[in-house]
Amino acid sequence: MLFRLFSGPSLLKFKKEYPIDYMEMMRSFERTKIRPIKPDDKTVSTMIAAPLLEISEEDSECNIHEIINSSQYAGELRVKRDKLLINLTLFKEFFEHSLNELVIDMQEVLEHKRCADVSAVMLVGGFAECELLRKTVTQTFPQKEVFVPHEGGLSVLRGAVIYGHTPQIVSSRICNYTYGIAVSKPFKADVMPMDKCYEHDGELWCRDMFEVSYKIDTVVNIGDKKQIELNDTFLKPEVQHRREEPLRVDIVISDKEDPTFITDEGCRKHAMIIVQPPKGQWPQIVRGYVEFEIAGTEMIGSYINSETNDRTSIIIEFLPRIEHRVGNDSERRRVFDPDRIDTDNE
């Protein structure tokens, strides 16, 4: 709203030249957000800094009343001395998107079979003190007890500090995806599609197979490890040139419990382990395995050479993040940070 009303350059100039006034104005907005709304309230008031009005009027060559009347907020905003009076309907619209997204996420969680016996919802964080949030959650989930603990606004901060000092306090997590690697297996014409068949070292193989390590919705503990055997051969003359190329292990994820191919619906590439050949060249028969280790908010993916015990590892984000939402459908995605690859894997 402020950017639309006062323009970006004016607001940024105010923030740069009057940082204390800017912070005080932002704190006023935060206080307004959690202020109780009375049934007979028609407007909500918050502080508007005088330097911002001066800068905006100077840049636009209009007074604040002319600025408001020429904006999309005409008739819904008023400035009275150092107060910005916001029409209550407009004020509620500011929260509409956030509340809708929150309700969708809560419905997704509460509809899960693991939450079948959940009878109460505890709201924490600064937003929990917002009356509009509490009312929306209470009305959406009337069968649940909704409450905010004492000093609930500090709960997230306290939790972050406690977890930072004692990360082992969270001993288990739930896999939001099925994790695995892309492999090739001996081709079986009766169960495998011909378009995935190829020849290597005189044998027929099926590419793009999804070898599962951890399944979606599985409870995992910190320190849990699982391994998948991964071998390769360079026997025929036509594949000798590949002995000097790095081994690339595709780590893949899926929304399904038992995917067959990495090209199935809901599957996607998640990360890659790049392994350089030992001493510049792979032996004719390469034996190794991929290891997944649960490490708090991260997963460590490693390739271990069985002959040399050399280990090449990457760190993978283990917490889900919603990239986008279309309507009521959300797609959970994970982020692989290439800047966090071990130096041996560059």
Side-chain angles (χ1 to χ4, degrees):
M1 179 192 72
L2 294 178
F3 270 88
R4 295 192 186 103
L5 188 62
F6 297 111
S7 81
S10 296
L11 193 60
L12 293 175
K13 182 179 179 181
F14 163 64
K15 180 180 179 181
K16 182 178 180 180
E17 296 183 2
Y18 300 91
I20 296 178
D21 293 284
Y22 174 82
M23 292 300 298
E24 179 58 33
M25 189 176 74
M26 291 298 103
R27 281 194 288 266
S28 177
F29 275 108
E30 288 296 314
R31 290 192 294 269
T32 302
K33 182 176 68 176
I34 64 176
R35 188 178 303 155
I37 299 175
K38 299 177 182 179
D40 56 345
D41 283 346
K42 297 294 188 296
T43 61
V44 175
S45 67
T46 186
M47 170 196 166
I48 189 74
L52 175 59
L53 299 180
E54 295 171 0
I55 291 173
S56 180
E57 291 177 352
E58 180 181 337
D59 290 347
S60 64
E61 298 182 350
C62 299
N63 62 46
I64 184 59
H65 304 293
E66 293 172 331
I67 293 174
I68 293 175
N69 290 333
S70 62
S71 73
Q72 67 186 81
Y73 303 112
E76 298 184 289
L77 296 177
R78 288 188 297 121
V79 172
K80 188 174 182 180
R81 296 183 181 177
D82 63 341
K83 299 296 182 183
L84 178 65
L85 304 179
I86 308 171
N87 183 285
L88 185 58
T89 302
L90 175 63
F91 180 75
K92 291 181 178 180
E93 289 178 3
F94 295 157
F95 299 89
E96 194 171 279
H97 177 74
S98 298
L99 294 176
N100 289 340
E101 293 291 297
L102 178 65
V103 166
I104 292 172
D105 285 340
M106 290 182 65
Q107 287 174 332
E108 180 182 342
V109 171
L110 293 173
E111 288 173 0
H112 195 281
K113 58 184 179 181
R114 292 183 182 275
C115 299
D117 58 348
V118 172
S119 60
V121 176
M122 180 172 67
L123 304 178
V124 297
F127 198 23
E129 300 178 27
C130 176
E131 182 178 335
L132 293 175
L133 170 63
R134 297 197 300 270
K135 185 177 294 186
T136 298
V137 174
T138 301
Q139 292 174 348
T140 306
F141 306 100
Q143 71 280 15
K144 309 291 185 185
E145 178 188 356
V146 180
F147 67 96
V148 180
H150 178 62
E151 294 186 339
L154 297 177
S155 297
V156 176
L157 175 61
R158 286 174 175 167
V161 172
I162 293 172
Y163 182 75
H165 286 279
T166 317
Q168 62 269 24
I169 196 171
V170 179
S171 59
S172 64
R173 296 185 183 276
I174 297 176
C175 292
N176 287 273
Y177 292 98
T178 293
Y179 288 87
I181 62 173
V183 300
S184 293
K185 294 184 178 181
F187 184 76
K188 298 179 181 179
D190 55 335
V191 295
M192 297 176 177
M194 284 299 302
D195 61 344
K196 294 187 180 296
C197 177
Y198 71 100
E199 183 178 350
H200 176 74
D201 268 347
E203 297 182 10
L204 294 181
W205 296 83
C206 181
R207 61 166 57 91
D208 294 340
M209 300 290 292
F210 196 124
E211 187 70 11
V212 173
S213 177
Y214 289 102
K215 292 187 177 183
I216 190 171
D217 290 333
T218 300
V219 177
V220 293
N221 297 311
I222 307 302
D224 282 356
K225 297 180 181 180
K226 283 194 175 183
Q227 298 173 347
I228 300 174
E229 186 177 354
L230 188 64
N231 304 320
D232 205 348
T233 60
F234 305 96
L235 303 177
K236 297 290 184 178
E238 58 268 21
V239 298
Q240 293 304 304
H241 67 282
R242 292 184 51 224
R243 295 176 63 185
E244 298 179 358
E245 298 176 358
L247 172 66
R248 302 177 186 273
V249 182
D250 286 336
I251 297 176
V252 287
I253 58 175
S254 174
D255 295 328
K256 306 297 187 295
E257 185 176 355
D258 290 300
T260 303
F261 298 99
I262 65 171
T263 53
D264 290 349
E265 183 181 359
C267 299
R268 66 185 71 90
K269 180 179 175 180
H270 182 43
M272 179 185 290
I273 304 175
I274 303 175
V275 188
Q276 300 298 332
K279 299 180 180 180
Q281 188 178 62
W282 295 105
Q284 287 190 315
I285 299 178
V286 180
R287 302 188 186 280
Y289 57 92
V290 176
E291 180 181 87
F292 290 98
E293 179 181 357
I294 307 301
T297 60
E298 301 164 336
M299 175 184 285
I300 301 175
S302 304
Y303 174 82
I304 298 93
N305 188 315
S306 297
E307 300 295 330
T308 64
N309 288 324
D310 290 340
R311 177 185 292 262
T312 305
S313 302
I314 60 173
I315 298 177
I316 308 166
E317 179 68 47
F318 190 56
L319 297 179
R321 187 176 80 173
I322 295 179
E323 293 285 344
H324 67 276
R325 189 191 301 279
V326 180
N328 291 333
D329 297 327
S330 64
E331 183 177 358
R332 294 181 294 182
R333 293 187 181 273
R334 294 190 184 283
V335 179
F336 169 62
D337 186 353
D339 293 333
R340 302 191 65 182
I341 300 177
D342 288 356
T343 54
D344 291 341
N345 197 38
E346 292 180 347

